[in-house]
Amino acid sequence: MKATVAVIGAGPAGLVVSRWLLAQGLEPSIFEQCPTLGGQWTALPGRSGVWPGMHTNTSRILTAFSDLPHDGDLVFPSGHDILDYLHRYAALFDLTSRLRRDTLVEAVSRCGREWLVRHGDNEETFDKVVVAAGRFHTPALPDVPGLDSFGGDAGAISSYNYGGPSSYRGKRVLVAGCAVSALEIAAELAARGAERVVVTQRRQRYVLPKFVAGVPSDHRMFTRYGALANETLAPSEVDRQLKEIVVESAGSPEQYGAPRPAESLFAAGVTLSQNYLPAVAEGAISVRPWLRSVTGTAVTFDDGGVEEFDGIVFGTGFRLSLPFLDGDVRAILNLEAGGFDTDRYTFHPDLPGLAFMGMWDQSGGYFVPLELQARWIAYTWGGVVEAASEADQRAAIAACHADGPRKTRMNLAAVTFARAAGVEPRLERWPDLQRALLFGPLAPSCFRLEGPDALPDAPATFAREAAAFGAITDNELTARELSYWSSVKDS
């Protein structure tokens, strides 16, 4: 009898894990509280942080799964394009027949060797559960004295509730934060009729345009080489190399009139945004220190400056919230203390039959690592790859607990899951693709070159995707690439 799996969430994570569970002979049922699939990409008010007019900050090649390319030639698809893509993906693998729409999962608990899922007045048992409910639904708002008393007629909201620029035309708007949502919203407001736009930040990040010299920046920043360098080189050298890529591509924020960031890119952070720094340079966006307090419509900043605003938008990130998990599960995961104690964001040896999808925070697009995590889960439960030993899992969990919550990078997550799933391509097997595998985009096709579910056309597909924007058109390393690669090989 086939094992049954409750998949909680029908966004990209829930859909891709269901596709791969089916391939391994398991029987997923997909629970979705919304009336349609898509997760964040539904753009439904109150259920999604995607606003009208939003486009991805990751390129179409890295915002796709390995079985289905995007239609059209848009480099950065719109939110509507991504939703359409997810519907096509669900249709391709007949996932819609397994979708339970308008079904809110209220509790997940252990029931002997099975798992009990409660929704409404119904309770069902499943052999396994995958939690794919998303981690970007509960905004993390800062504690600012007086914020509750803010009197601007546009209100104080999270970027999750931002509905577009129309309600801010002719208004003075403060945007708080330095993540991508904050910078993209600030740039949109400045271009679409706000009277004044001010960004307040705790620290200045480096800012990398989405597109540089005709190549999407995620093709340059999130490479296999970068993951290997992270494992072999001193952190200071990895920091130097990444900063070199960013600054040579976009300059440093102080050159545009923004504050000077920390010398270390790791200390400062980096955000992808095409139009933010040019808007600062033109005076369309002003940058202030962090806000200290709010009184009525007046905001006092840490430098003592005071300014009046009609609206405030907080792009200050999200906290992980999984309220439907039973208390003992939450305790094992250390959720109440703000942790997420798991082996590579996925399994816990004390919770057999439970897995998680997409519960990490990162720079870069999620589609590629999500598919690899889905394959790891499906291959583990399907017996294709051996499950990690309890000792190895507990060591990974102890390291996760010691590190605490932290941001990673798309390429680090992708390579981690690819290795666990047994699909990381070996450089020596692909001499004609070596440069693309090291310094090209981490396209989903490169993880279908070998291992379980390898595709015969994957080499040609990957070569084409690596050369799509003229970045990797031959196999000869540039002088910089050769220097970088030598530093890793010699370590």
Side-chain angles (χ1 to χ4, degrees):
M1 185 173 178
K2 293 182 178 181
T4 58
V5 186
V7 176
I8 303 172
L15 295 176
V16 74
V17 77
S18 297
R19 174 264 188 269
W20 286 101
L21 290 171
L22 278 169
Q24 287 301 314
L26 289 87
E27 289 288 344
S29 296
I30 310 169
F31 293 85
E32 174 52 56
Q33 64 177 327
C34 292
T36 185
L37 63 82
Q40 289 277 7
W41 299 102
T42 62
L44 293 173
R47 300 283 180 85
S48 166
V50 173
W51 61 86
M54 176 179 165
H55 286 251
T56 65
N57 68 323
T58 55
S59 63
R60 69 170 184 271
I61 289 174
L62 299 187
T63 314
F65 300 130
S66 63
D67 295 300
L68 184 67
H70 280 279
D71 284 340
D73 296 324
L74 282 180
V75 181
F76 298 101
S78 70
H80 179 78
D81 294 326
I82 299 298
L83 182 59
D84 176 70
Y85 175 88
L86 294 174
H87 277 276
R88 291 193 295 114
Y89 185 82
L92 179 64
F93 294 102
D94 194 26
L95 302 178
T96 50
S97 65
R98 297 176 175 275
L99 179 62
R100 304 192 192 183
R101 300 173 177 85
D102 293 311
T103 304
L104 174 64
V105 171
E106 297 169 336
V108 172
S109 58
R110 292 189 284 189
C111 183
R113 302 173 75 99
E114 296 179 311
W115 289 87
L116 187 68
V117 175
R118 177 166 59 84
H119 50 95
D121 296 328
N122 302 306
E123 289 186 340
E124 297 180 66
T125 56
F126 292 85
D127 297 308
K128 302 178 186 298
V129 172
V130 177
V131 176
R135 76 170 309 279
F136 300 105
H137 290 287
T138 305
L141 296 178
D143 184 14
V144 179
L147 180 59
D148 290 344
S149 71
F150 178 66
D153 60 10
I157 65 168
S158 162
S159 61
Y160 188 78
N161 302 116
Y162 173 73
S166 60
S167 60
Y168 294 95
R169 290 196 179 105
K171 297 187 183 298
R172 303 160 298 177
V173 190
L174 179 66
V175 181
C178 54
V180 60
S181 62
L183 303 193
E184 293 288 88
I185 288 171
E188 181 175 78
L189 290 172
R192 300 287 295 276
E195 177 185 319
R196 177 165 167 76
V197 179
V198 176
V199 169
T200 175
Q201 301 174 336
R202 289 189 177 93
R203 71 182 190 279
Q204 175 66 56
R205 291 187 182 184
Y206 290 90
V207 181
L208 184 63
K210 297 194 297 185
F211 220 41
V212 176
V215 179
S217 292
D218 57 357
H219 287 217
R220 299 181 189 274
M221 282 291 290
F222 305 115
T223 62
R224 173 94 170 281
Y225 164 78
L228 299 176
N230 197 71
E231 297 169 347
T232 56
L233 302 182
S236 59
E237 177 59 15
V238 178
D239 191 344
R240 185 194 69 79
Q241 291 183 9
L242 285 173
K243 181 180 173 182
E244 187 174 71
I245 294 171
V246 171
V247 173
E248 288 193 5
S249 297
S252 192
E254 73 273 11
Q255 295 173 282
Y256 295 79
R260 184 182 183 89
E263 286 299 314
S264 164
L265 182 136
F266 286 167
V270 62
T271 299
L272 284 169
S273 181
Q274 188 70 25
N275 299 314
Y276 172 73
L277 284 180
V280 172
E282 293 170 353
I285 294 174
S286 298
V287 185
R288 301 296 299 271
W290 191 241
L291 66 171
R292 180 189 300 170
S293 63
V294 175
T295 305
T297 59
V299 173
T300 301
F301 298 98
D302 277 343
D303 62 358
V306 180
E307 190 168 344
E308 303 277 338
F309 292 97
D310 302 302
I312 304 176
V313 180
F314 286 94
T316 45
F318 296 82
R319 59 182 178 85
L320 181 61
S321 178
L322 301 170
F324 51 82
L325 293 179
D326 191 59
D328 75 317
V329 176
R330 298 176 63 80
I332 289 170
L333 296 171
N334 194 36
L335 286 175
E336 300 302 339
F340 184 60
D341 293 356
T342 48
D343 174 13
R344 288 163 284 181
Y345 308 103
T346 309
F347 297 115
H348 195 292
D350 295 337
L351 299 170
L354 180 66
F356 295 88
M357 283 284 299
M359 296 299 164
W360 69 95
D361 190 13
Q362 70 171 32
S363 299
Y366 276 84
F367 275 61
V368 175
L370 279 177
E371 181 173 23
L372 293 165
Q373 188 183 33
R375 293 172 72 182
W376 178 29
I377 292 170
Y379 291 164
T380 299
W381 287 349
V384 174
V385 299
E386 186 176 353
S389 69
E390 181 176 341
D392 286 345
Q393 282 191 311
R394 294 199 184 280
I397 290 165
C400 173
H401 186 86
D403 289 339
R406 63 175 183 171
K407 203 178 189 77
T408 187
R409 300 193 294 281
M410 172 265 191
N411 50 337
L412 307 188
V415 170
T416 293
F417 296 139
R419 288 176 181 169
V423 296
E424 182 186 22
R426 290 164 288 182
L427 293 173
E428 63 273 15
R429 288 200 59 186
W430 307 98
D432 293 339
L433 293 174
Q434 186 175 91
R435 184 184 177 213
L437 286 170
L438 281 172
F439 295 100
L442 271 182
S445 56
C446 79
F447 298 107
R448 303 297 292 271
L449 290 171
E450 56 186 270
D453 294 293
L455 294 174
D457 62 346
T461 300
F462 178 59
R464 184 172 61 253
E465 291 176 337
F469 301 96
I472 303 291
T473 56
D474 57 47
N475 206 32
E476 184 176 347
L477 297 176
T478 67
R480 173 177 292 173
E481 291 168 349
L482 182 60
S483 172
Y484 282 0
W485 182 227
S486 296
S487 68
V488 166
K489 289 195 299 181
D490 294 342
S491 296

